[in-house]
Amino acid sequence: MPHIPFIEIQFPIARLSAESYKERKANLGQTLTGLGKWWGRKPLILVRASLLGLLMPASEDSEKDREIFYKILTMDEDGLWRRKNKTMSAADIAQKLEPREYDGLIEHKGGTASWVRGVAKADKERLERIAFARLPYEDKLAYCCRPEEIEGPSPEAWKDINTHLGTSAHSLPELFEQLSQKAFGHTARVGDCFCGGGSVPFEAARLGLEAYGSDLNPVAVLLTWGAINLIGGGREVQEEVRRAQEAVWQKVDEQITAWGIEHDGRGNRADAYLYCVEAKCPATGLWVPLAPSWVISEKYRVVAVLRRNDARQGYDIDIITGASDEQMRRAKQGTIKDSEMIDPEDPSRRYSIASLRGDRRGPNGETIYGLRLWENEDLVPRPDDIFQERLYCVRWVTPQGERVYKAVTEEDLARERKVLELLRERFAEWQEKGYIPSKKITPGYNTEQPIRERGWTYWHHLFNPRQLLVHGILSNSINDLHYDKIFLSTYLLFFLGSLANRDSRLVVWVSSYGVDATSQVFSNQALNTNYNYGCRGFDAYLSIMNLKFKERISCKQFIYPLDARDVSYTADLWITDPPYADAVNYHELADFFLAWYEKHLPRLFPDWYADSRAALAVRGADQDFKKSMVEIYANLARHMPDDGLQLVMFTHQDAGVWADLGMILWAAGLQVSAAWTIGTETSSGLKEGNYVQGTVCLVLRKRLTDRRVWLDELYPAVDDEVRHQLDSMQAIDDTLQPQFGDTDYQLAAYAAALRVLTGYASIEDMDIRYELFRARTKNEVSEFEKIIDRAVSIATNYRIPHGLLSYTWRNLEPIERLYLSGLELERHGEARQGAYQELARGFGVAEYKFMLAETEANHARFRTPSELKRLYLSASQNSNDKGTGAFAASLLRHLLFAIHEAIRTENPREGLNYLKAERLDYWSRREDLINLLDYLAAARNLSALTYWRKDAESAGLLAGLIRNDYVGSR
């Protein structure tokens, strides 16, 4: 009997999304982030769940399968209690219990609940367990550690797991070994040819499976190697690394102290330096220090104040601690805003940075940037450069541990000059030996930014002399200690990379309350230059590397830098997160780290290459990209058994991308068997635009048939498959804790369409590769995209918002359905503009944005009746009608205005009078009106729709009037 995995039938999305989000929110507390920066690491819980879903067989009892799945991942009630590592307060417990349940055990004094004196520990635990069980799943996680942080299920849970699966395991590695044997007859081999930060190989190795990881970029491969061999190295490795780190630390500290570059001779040592860029003001000719804010510390009210000094043709910078409210206000204004210098003498005078740089238009309209390009030997700006740089504040730590911010003295400047002198003495030798970077920046999408904005052309230009000197001493000391164990030198190399990310000219000084520290270079996916930045003192380096060592991992592994097209190892399970469409330019950003690693890697890993192989990087979305992707996935299909499985993870919401990806996988000889979306991304204030916050997991098999299908056969097959998919999802959904949201059903339609499409070798006489690679005219839609759009349309119309009757739904126009479905999104907390875009596509509505009250990427919602007022009540209101006409003529639009009228006049009968006057079909559509009003009125009880409360109450009153109107006045 063929292996039908759990993940092809169901995948518990809601709990898994909550767990993934919790792991993401841990930031540096995540297991692998301590090794260093990588972009888009997949949560380990998602990888673990995916591996389990691929290996665990599906039975005829879907509900029991899901129960066992939860038990194995400790996502069931017993598992959550085992993971619980924080105690609920008496107040939190009292909120979830009835007074009779805690009578005599919890008392209320002064409005606060607390334990009665002398309550037994057993009674506290009993009440806590009851209260904990009543929490929503997401709230429970606030009291729990992550699944990876405990050993696994309880002995009682193992009995249930083994009985259902026919296994005899007592640990996760034992279980995964036995499931592997049942599925493939041997320990499963897990491969990832885009291993990135190493989540897939690491988790596979930790679960006892054979781990194969490769990536074109050696920085990614190094991170993956470190994940398995350092984080998975066990206590012995941990102790050796600790001793090596202490030896390096002591050696460097002694040298810095001997040089006297961080001590003031009075017992104080600097732990932070603040620098800023200066540029000459066109109006005054004075050199103006640039910073978006001169607040240094919110908590201690420390600010920098500019004081004009004509003798130096610029400004002195005073540091004030305990600043007044007015000084704080003025400091927050800064001297640069929106890429414009603000003249301190007259803030109304502003000058664009582009004009200061001397940017201009070339003969063909191209931009010519005006900055001098730095040469390799440049460590600081030359005297005639447009942008200068200066130290403006030092934070000192006294012998008593007090932190004190001070203005820069002549002694500080002398130490800066000494740092530059020491660096210049060693610069050529250190570059040759790789202690500091010597690599030139290759211009690209991201790497052009520091070149055009600062003139920096080598990677070491992104670091000031103090940073280069201290980083170089560290690198030199690592080399001098001659470690004979590769993991020791590799660990210290990781530290150097983490240090570069935390101590560079590109880091922001964060003055927020209680922070007062440098951030990191890659707080987003760019190389952003700053007008002011922070530099760490050596003592502040200690907090940078947070490496959590786990259990000893012992498994067969293959970790190697390799182009995915050249993969020659075979895997039973391929789990990949390929670059696609709007992908991150890993090959450019990773060069930031590779510049520090490139001369060390050949010594540590002689068989590896040490360059980014940028020319081979898979990027973009053009024909070359598609060809590369087909080659890669065709190669993976060749290197998997006929009963093997692939899981492709990616994030995108465009139907065209789905169509292209489907054709790529199809052309590679793969067939889609399921798709799920998991919420994995945390929101960030640094992100702008419509960012998707979920990861799509596409399950694939080899296509083993040469069947051909005709279009007139294909469309009905897709229609049937979409409906079957949606029905099966509804059948297995948990009504108390729904696993699938509105967008999940749309995604399921994509998957169902692709499942049918990719099951055939050809459609009529169409050549898949030709259709994939041929150039299309503007707005031309491929036949494959039409099929996918049709599937989405079926799914969108198939899902009726809860509370609406099917006959009412059938009577509505597409734009009315869109509005109501949008409200359903809001009920479920979905606020991505992309979700509304998907709904509009599904309903065939070309223009819908006029209905939006908010258009911010992750805060979108439709207007309420009170916000719509008279807008779009008639098509004539908009001469450039882009869909407003259909909305204006609809029953729903008139109903929404009737609700507004009832509120405006404070008389619901005015709303009824409006409907009867404007709608000639009032009586024939009366039941529809009542059903719609009841649906809208239900919003008054939903915490997610507080902005609907007044409108919802009015809808309820209006519904009552219409019911009574039927009885008394027809």
Side-chain angles (χ1 to χ4, degrees), residues 877-899:
Q877 285 181 302
N878 188 351
S879 58
N880 298 316
D881 180 18
K882 294 183 179 179
T884 57
F887 188 54
S890 69
L891 178 74
L892 179 63
R893 179 64 194 97
H894 289 137
L895 184 62
L896 295 175
F897 182 72
I899 293 171

Side-chain angles (χ1 to χ4, degrees), residues 575-587:
I575 300 181
T576 54
D577 181 5
Y580 199 74
D582 305 325
V584 179
N585 294 292
Y586 299 110
H587 60 290

Side-chain angles (χ1 to χ4, degrees), residues 496-551:
L496 199 61
S498 293
L499 177 58
N501 186 34
R502 293 280 176 175
D503 199 39
S504 160
R505 278 179 163 131
L506 302 189
V507 300
V508 173
W509 176 259
V510 182
S511 61
S512 304
Y513 195 90
V515 180
D516 302 352
T518 58
S519 58
Q520 57 176 311
V521 172
F522 293 111
S523 52
N524 63 1
Q525 298 163 356
L527 292 163
N528 298 307
T529 59
N530 303 307
Y531 295 99
N532 67 325
Y533 66 91
C535 169
R536 294 180 181 235
F538 185 67
D539 272 356
Y541 287 7
L542 279 169
S543 62
I544 286 177
M545 193 106 171
N546 179 26
L547 190 57
K548 289 187 176 182
F549 290 85
K550 298 292 181 181
E551 67 279 4

Side-chain angles (χ1 to χ4, degrees), residues 711-943:
L711 278 174
D712 60 355
E713 299 174 306
L714 189 60
Y715 279 113
V718 168
D719 293 359
D720 291 343
E721 186 65 20
V722 169
R723 291 187 173 89
H724 173 74
Q725 175 74 48
L726 300 181
D727 287 341
S728 63
M729 288 173 68
Q730 288 177 320
I732 64 175
D733 206 359
D734 188 332
T735 54
L736 297 177
Q737 285 190 313
Q739 296 300 306
F740 310 120
D742 302 272
T743 51
D744 298 317
Y745 284 94
Q746 288 182 327
L747 176 64
Y750 282 130
L754 288 179
R755 187 158 54 240
V756 173
L757 277 168
T758 57
Y760 296 98
S762 61
I763 298 177
E764 295 190 351
D765 295 322
M766 283 187 257
D767 184 321
I768 300 170
R769 286 177 177 256
Y770 172 76
E771 286 292 329
L772 177 61
F773 298 137
R774 75 178 176 86
R776 297 193 187 114
T777 59
K778 186 178 179 181
N779 298 324
E780 181 184 359
V781 178
S782 71
E783 200 63 50
F784 308 96
E785 197 169 336
K786 291 178 185 176
I787 294 171
I788 290 174
D789 277 338
R790 180 183 176 113
V792 174
S793 177
I794 294 170
T796 306
N797 285 281
Y798 199 70
R799 290 279 295 161
I800 302 175
H802 182 70
L804 286 179
L805 301 175
S806 58
Y807 71 81
T808 299
W809 188 249
R810 285 195 302 269
N811 291 337
L812 298 177
E813 296 296 321
I815 200 160
E816 295 175 290
R817 295 182 181 184
L818 172 60
Y819 183 91
L820 295 167
S821 294
L823 183 56
E824 192 73 2
L825 289 179
E826 296 169 41
R827 288 180 174 215
H828 299 155
E830 174 62 84
R832 289 182 299 109
Q833 193 180 119
Y836 290 82
Q837 182 181 333
E838 286 296 292
L839 282 177
R841 179 186 290 115
F843 287 120
V845 176
E847 179 55 47
Y848 67 94
K849 292 183 180 178
F850 65 89
M851 296 193 296
L852 288 169
E854 296 182 25
T855 57
E856 191 176 341
N858 293 314
H859 299 280
R861 68 173 179 85
F862 282 151
R863 300 176 196 259
T864 65
S866 295
E867 291 168 333
L868 279 167
K869 298 180 181 177
R870 286 187 171 274
L871 289 174
Y872 313 111
L873 194 59
S874 67
S876 61
Q877 285 181 302
N878 188 351
S879 58
N880 298 316
D881 180 18
K882 294 183 179 179
T884 57
F887 188 54
S890 69
L891 178 74
L892 179 63
R893 179 64 194 97
H894 289 137
L895 184 62
L896 295 175
F897 182 72
I899 293 171
H900 164 66
E901 279 294 278
I903 295 172
R904 185 184 67 82
T905 62
E906 298 183 355
N907 183 0
R909 187 160 293 280
E910 288 300 316
L912 174 62
N913 292 339
Y914 170 80
L915 287 173
K916 294 176 76 171
E918 293 294 325
R919 297 299 306 192
L920 298 178
D921 58 355
Y922 169 80
W923 289 111
S924 63
R925 300 292 302 274
R926 177 185 166 281
E927 294 301 324
D928 290 339
L929 287 168
I930 293 171
N931 187 204
L932 290 168
L933 286 166
D934 285 342
Y935 174 76
L936 298 175
R940 63 189 165 205
N941 300 319
L942 299 174
S943 58

Side-chain angles (χ1 to χ4, degrees), residues 37-38 59 125 131 133 205 209 295 555 571 586 733 798 875 884:
K37 176 67 180 180
W38 193 258
S59 73
E125 183 175 318
L209 305 175
V295 176
C555 72
Y586 299 110
D733 206 359
Y798 199 70
T884 57

